[in-house]
Amino acid sequence: MQVEHSGLRRKIARNKLKVKCQPFQDEGRSSVYLPLCRQVLMGGERITFNLFLKGLEKGEAGGPEIKFLTYVREGETLAPDWLAALSKAGIDRLYFHRRDVDKVIAYLNNHLLNKANESEECREKYYLLREHLNLSLLQSFESPHLGRHLHQVKASLEHLLPLLVPEVKHLSLISDLLYRDYTIYQHSVNVATLSMALGLFLKKSRRDCLILGMAGLFHDLGLTELDEELVNKREPLKAEEWELLKQHPTLGYRLLKGNLEMPLGALRLVLEHHENADGSGYPQGLLLDRQHPLSRILCLAEAYDGLTTHRPYRQAYTPYAALKILQGKRGSSGPAYDLQTLKDLIRFLAFS
Ligand SMILES: [Fe+2]
Ligand SMILES: [Fe+2]
């Protein structure tokens, strides 16, 4: 039987309802409920959308079934106690219905405006920008009018960049706040964040860092042109499926080409994000010196994030294990990744 929302809150507050904090399972691009991290919610404010917790309840067949249980109803004022109870129960992730994505973005915008002049609140601002990027990316990937959303995404990225300053205290913040679960949007936000932070660490210009950020956000856009079943397939791909998947950098490049918000350098990086240092990558098989000078940063950040996030079919690798894999990865005629940039990444992660 469904627990009524105030009853659910009482149970959480009294620690009478056990909620398992499992990795988020992405149900693909069409999932109806989308995650939102608790840290962006502000107590004492009216919520303009329903907020849910994901729980297990007895289904009609008698077995356990995943249910989305209303925790806060649209129009209610979010009591600080309700947030504190979630924190105490170790619940960091709530959910909202996909149809409310505009309302959630407006909610995040409102908080970002309030925090515009607060430089000390890096952690909160980072969470807000991260979720804002995640959702505006979702909107732009799904919209037939990609260009309209690119401006909003770029503006968020420009606000995020100053928070990634390469000082030790900030670096540890960055690795703490990266998403641990994999969805195409979360992966893209992580890749943008890591690439920009590594770019800043290597004293690249602000312009270069924004190129890395935009490329990180849109590098996998081409996947949306492919069949969702193929993209999410857990079994090994057949040769012809693999050939289809290998088209995604070119498909993304074509979708973005001609958009004035997309820097030319970022376009090239989107096309080159699966190129290897020894020329064994795809789609063009370019050797390192024929690639854009920033591609080596994006390629490594992309591969590192792919390994260090949870997937439905495997646990996330630890940073140490992931770096070992990257070090050992060889193409047909040499190391797959640029060894100098790999050393830079290791140095960067040692600080963080
Ligand atoms: Fe990727
Ligand atoms: Fe990719």
Side-chain angles (χ1 to χ4, degrees):
M1 198 178 79
Q2 176 129 349
V3 189
E4 200 262 324
H5 62 294
S6 53
L8 178 65
R9 290 197 292 255
R10 271 198 300 278
K11 285 193 172 190
I12 297 270
R14 289 177 194 157
N15 206 15
K16 289 209 166 140
L17 195 78
K18 294 284 172 219
V19 180
K20 269 196 162 180
C21 295
Q22 290 168 326
F24 172 66
Q25 299 272 314
D26 184 23
E27 282 128 41
R29 300 197 291 263
S30 51
S31 47
V32 175
Y33 292 93
L34 300 170
L36 185 71
C37 82
R38 172 179 52 80
Q39 286 83 348
V40 298
L41 298 170
M42 309 291 159
E45 292 218 349
R46 200 174 146 267
I47 297 288
T48 50
F49 43 89
N50 286 323
L51 274 168
F52 303 90
L53 295 181
K54 191 176 183 179
L56 281 179
E57 283 198 337
K58 212 172 180 181
E60 278 168 21
E65 235 176 53
I66 288 178
K67 290 266 171 74
F68 288 87
L69 313 165
T70 314
Y71 191 65
V72 183
R73 234 178 238 300
E74 177 184 346
E76 284 186 312
T77 298
L78 180 61
D81 285 358
W82 304 346
L83 282 177
L86 290 176
S87 169
K88 205 172 157 207
I91 301 168
D92 280 342
R93 192 187 300 122
L94 292 95
Y95 293 82
F96 63 92
H97 197 285
R98 169 178 284 267
R99 65 172 168 251
D100 287 336
V101 68
D102 288 338
K103 291 180 183 173
V104 179
I105 289 180
Y107 177 85
L108 297 174
N109 270 334
N110 194 23
H111 285 297
L112 278 167
L113 275 177
N114 290 340
K115 298 225 169 283
N117 298 319
E118 293 178 33
S119 56
E120 288 309 306
E121 308 253 1
C122 273
R123 186 169 283 265
E124 275 184 26
K125 247 192 197 172
Y126 183 95
Y127 274 123
L128 283 164
L129 283 166
R130 184 186 84 161
E131 297 295 89
H132 193 274
L133 270 176
N134 186 37
L135 296 181
S136 25
L137 204 57
L138 179 138
Q139 269 190 328
S140 60
F141 273 38
E142 294 186 354
S143 165
H145 310 288
L146 174 69
R148 277 189 213 158
H149 298 282
L150 276 174
H151 182 73
Q152 174 177 301
V153 171
K154 200 171 179 185
S156 289
L157 207 58
E158 284 173 350
H159 283 109
L160 178 63
L161 188 62
L163 300 188
L164 306 177
V165 283
E167 287 169 19
V168 175
K169 63 173 185 171
H170 289 286
L171 288 177
S172 60
L173 172 87
I174 295 162
S175 59
D176 270 6
L177 300 184
L178 290 173
Y179 288 110
R180 302 277 175 245
D181 304 319
Y182 182 94
T183 68
I184 187 172
Y185 310 111
Q186 293 181 345
H187 166 62
S188 305
V189 173
N190 278 0
V191 174
T193 306
L194 265 176
S195 310
M196 288 203 300
L198 184 55
L200 282 171
F201 182 72
L202 298 176
K203 307 221 175 339
K204 301 286 177 200
S205 66
R206 183 178 181 276
R207 190 172 157 272
D208 278 355
C209 291
L210 285 173
I211 286 177
L212 282 165
M214 284 300 273
L217 289 179
F218 290 97
H219 73 280
D220 275 338
L221 174 67
L223 291 176
T224 59
E225 293 282 283
L226 298 173
D227 184 38
E228 202 172 341
E229 247 177 69
L230 168 71
V231 175
N232 295 335
K233 194 170 172 186
R234 297 183 193 187
E235 302 80 35
L237 296 181
K238 294 183 194 133
E240 63 271 23
E241 291 175 325
W242 181 230
E243 286 308 313
L244 274 175
L245 197 68
K246 275 165 56 178
Q247 291 177 10
H248 80 271
T250 314
L251 294 170
Y253 173 85
R254 284 191 195 138
L255 284 171
L256 293 161
K257 201 175 159 197
N259 194 292
L260 295 177
E261 298 286 350
M262 198 68 189
L264 283 178
L267 261 182
R268 255 188 77 186
L269 263 60
V270 168
L271 186 62
E272 294 178 5
H273 78 270
H274 285 296
E275 296 291 351
N276 286 342
D278 70 335
S280 62
Y282 61 88
Q284 300 175 91
L286 296 177
L287 283 166
L288 193 67
D289 60 0
R290 302 293 306 276
Q291 296 171 25
H292 189 288
L294 297 171
S295 283
R296 60 199 71 186
I297 295 179
L298 183 74
C299 289
L300 262 179
E302 200 275 339
Y304 176 81
D305 185 67
L307 291 167
T308 50
T309 43
H310 296 290
R311 299 296 179 97
Y313 50 88
R314 65 146 171 79
Q315 286 282 308
Y317 288 97
T318 63
Y320 178 79
L323 290 170
K324 277 275 162 213
I325 292 172
L326 295 175
Q327 270 176 329
K329 182 108 189 284
R330 293 185 67 82
S332 46
S333 51
Y337 299 104
D338 174 42
L339 294 179
Q340 181 53 52
T341 314
L342 189 52
K343 273 188 199 158
D344 294 333
L345 175 67
I346 293 168
R347 213 157 42 89
F348 166 77
L349 292 170
F351 275 101
S352 57

